[in-house]
């Protein structure tokens, strides 16, 4: 499965229906069509990974300077995995 979008500075894009299974996904970020350095642009992600009863979501951010970062955050809301 591949998902892609074009986002301009100040805009955002949310993918609600991409991570539909409680499984590990390999994520590769590209910027201007180029795969980012492996340590910066690649990660594994499981949206339903239970960490003390929490669930994870992944965010990526491109700054106006052109720098990129991603992070995994947790929430107590299970979302589509609450079954």
């Amino acid at each position: 499965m591949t998902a892609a979008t074009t986002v301009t500075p100040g805009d955002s894009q949310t993918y609600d229906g991409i991570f539909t299974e409680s499984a590990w996904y390999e994520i590769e970020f590209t910027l201007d069509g180029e795969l980012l350095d492996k340590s910066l642009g690649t990660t594994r992600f499981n949206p339903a990974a239970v960490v003390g009863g929490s669930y994870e979501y992944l965010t990526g951010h491109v700054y106006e300077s052109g720098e990129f970062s991603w992070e995994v955050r947790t929430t107590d809301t299970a979302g589509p995995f609450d079954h």
Side-chain angles (χ1 to χ4, degrees), residues 50-80:
V50 176
V51 179
S54 296
Y55 299 86
E56 298 182 339
Y57 67 96
L58 175 69
T59 62
H61 187 85
V62 179
Y63 300 90
E64 288 193 34
S65 65
E67 296 292 315
F68 174 80
S69 69
W70 61 265
E71 70 178 322
V72 175
R73 296 184 181 188
T74 60
T75 179
D76 292 334
T77 304

Side-chain angles (χ1 to χ4, degrees), residues 1-81:
M1 172 187 303
T2 300
T5 191
T6 300
V7 181
T8 58
D11 287 345
S12 65
Q13 176 68 51
T14 302
Y15 292 103
D16 292 328
I18 298 297
F19 305 113
T20 59
E21 303 299 321
S22 177
W24 286 96
Y25 295 85
E26 182 175 359
I27 310 297
E28 294 181 333
F29 293 99
T30 61
L31 185 59
D32 295 332
E34 299 291 324
L35 182 62
L36 296 172
D37 177 87
K38 192 82 168 165
S39 63
L40 177 64
T42 303
T43 188
R44 291 187 193 113
F45 173 65
N46 185 338
V50 176
V51 179
S54 296
Y55 299 86
E56 298 182 339
Y57 67 96
L58 175 69
T59 62
H61 187 85
V62 179
Y63 300 90
E64 288 193 34
S65 65
E67 296 292 315
F68 174 80
S69 69
W70 61 265
E71 70 178 322
V72 175
R73 296 184 181 188
T74 60
T75 179
D76 292 334
T77 304
F81 306 104

